[in-house]
Amino acid sequence: MERLVIIPTYNERENIEAIITTVMELPILFNVLVIDDGSPDGTAEIVKRMMNGKYKGCIHLIEREGKQGLGTAYIAGFQWAIEHKANYIFEMDADFSHNPKDLLKLYDACAIEGADLAIGSRYVTGVNVVNWPMGRVLMSYFASKYVRTVLGVKIHDTTAGFVCYRRKLLETIELDKIRFKGYAFQIEMKFTAYKCGAKITEVPIIFVNRVLGTSKMSGGIFSEALLGVIRLKISSWFRKYPKMM
């Protein structure tokens, strides 16, 4: 399996069929793995129907009981990807805030340009966010600046959720030591990749706020991330990170 896109879902009935179809219709083949946390709106049932349809064999599903957190969903997806020998593993939201066409740019950054981690960045060329309230834009932008400063990583969009990992990097990172379950998970993964000596690049994208469905973001999530950064920095002083070979 060359390319695997992991999409965590909770109540994404309005979006899931369209996002999977759009990915399937890209000019090169991407497999899709949906991690559904017991969506009561029937998201998983839609995925199951698609698994037996036109794209049979390219769509996969892991169903979990209840909302267990974004981080644990991605860890489950990464472990599945490693077991199934996917070479390039992508994170992407279900709500079209990430343009599926940009998967091609992230893939090229790793497969052609040699990055171990390619980040779809909202902030590497300014602020490329559409339809977000100004308060949320500022909160996200300055949160990334704060993380960049505290952790000492040269990444502009440290909270980005649209990325591509080379399998070798995920095999190097000790996934069982990733602690954060919410959006701070994104920060921890990038920092850990940096500490492991990964080659990291940022690919400029335009982030568009969801049109359908309900956002899972909240001020509390940002607070968790900001406080978690300090814990992450302190714990890094006492930990030896494995290095990319």
Side-chain angles (χ1 to χ4, degrees):
M1 186 183 299
E2 180 72 358
R3 295 165 290 269
L4 178 70
V5 182
I6 303 172
I7 305 177
T9 56
Y10 183 77
N11 285 349
E12 291 291 352
R13 181 183 182 88
E14 298 97 332
N15 296 300
I16 193 61
E17 183 168 3
I19 195 75
I20 291 175
T21 300
T22 304
V23 172
M24 289 292 108
E25 291 180 351
L26 290 172
I28 59 176
L29 176 64
F30 288 83
N31 281 260
V32 171
L33 172 63
V34 175
I35 316 284
D36 187 69
D37 275 5
S39 297
D41 72 345
T43 298
E45 298 308 313
I46 296 173
V47 177
K48 288 176 185 176
R49 173 172 53 79
M50 296 187 74
M51 289 171 67
N52 293 309
K54 179 179 178 181
Y55 308 111
K56 187 173 182 178
C58 297
I59 302 170
H60 315 275
L61 173 67
I62 295 176
E63 292 184 87
R64 310 195 306 169
E65 294 294 329
K67 296 180 71 174
Q68 299 181 40
L70 181 76
T72 64
Y74 274 127
I75 294 296
F78 295 157
Q79 291 169 338
W80 191 97
I82 291 170
E83 289 170 7
H84 289 79
K85 305 298 183 183
N87 291 321
Y88 299 93
I89 298 95
F90 302 78
E91 297 180 7
M92 189 174 75
D93 290 348
D95 60 8
F96 283 95
S97 55
H98 304 138
N99 186 342
K101 292 181 180 179
D102 288 334
L103 289 168
L104 301 170
K105 295 195 294 185
L106 294 177
Y107 174 65
D108 285 349
C110 289
I112 297 176
E113 297 170 23
D116 300 305
L117 169 58
I119 301 168
S121 179
R122 298 163 291 185
Y123 306 128
V124 70
T125 56
V127 179
N128 294 317
V129 178
V130 177
N131 293 337
W132 258 10
M134 182 55 66
R136 188 168 169 186
V137 172
L138 293 173
M139 184 184 297
S140 174
Y141 178 77
F142 285 109
S144 281
K145 287 285 189 182
Y146 165 80
V147 172
R148 176 183 167 97
T149 301
V150 173
L151 296 182
V153 293
K154 295 180 179 180
I155 298 173
H156 293 86
D157 195 349
T158 53
T159 60
F162 190 30
V163 302
C164 175
Y165 292 94
R166 190 186 294 267
R167 187 179 78 226
K168 184 178 177 181
L169 174 56
L170 292 180
E171 290 173 334
T172 301
I173 291 173
E174 297 167 313
L175 295 174
D176 59 335
K177 293 185 178 180
I178 300 297
R179 293 289 174 257
F180 290 113
K181 296 182 178 180
Y183 279 79
F185 163 83
Q186 301 290 6
I187 299 169
E188 186 175 8
M189 284 294 294
K190 294 177 184 66
F191 180 63
T192 304
Y194 166 78
K195 296 294 283 185
C196 289
K199 180 182 177 181
I200 302 172
T201 189
E202 290 187 83
V203 176
I205 64 160
I206 297 175
F207 180 94
V208 180
N209 194 29
R210 69 162 63 231
V211 175
L212 299 173
T214 304
S215 173
K216 316 304 187 293
M217 186 64 71
S218 69
I221 288 172
F222 277 108
S223 298
E224 173 205 34
L226 293 177
L227 295 174
V229 166
I230 298 173
R231 290 166 49 199
L232 188 58
K233 181 67 174 181
I234 294 172
S235 68
S236 72
W237 296 338
F238 306 98
R239 178 181 168 188
K240 184 177 180 178
Y241 292 84
K243 295 298 181 181
M244 293 281 294
M245 298 299 292

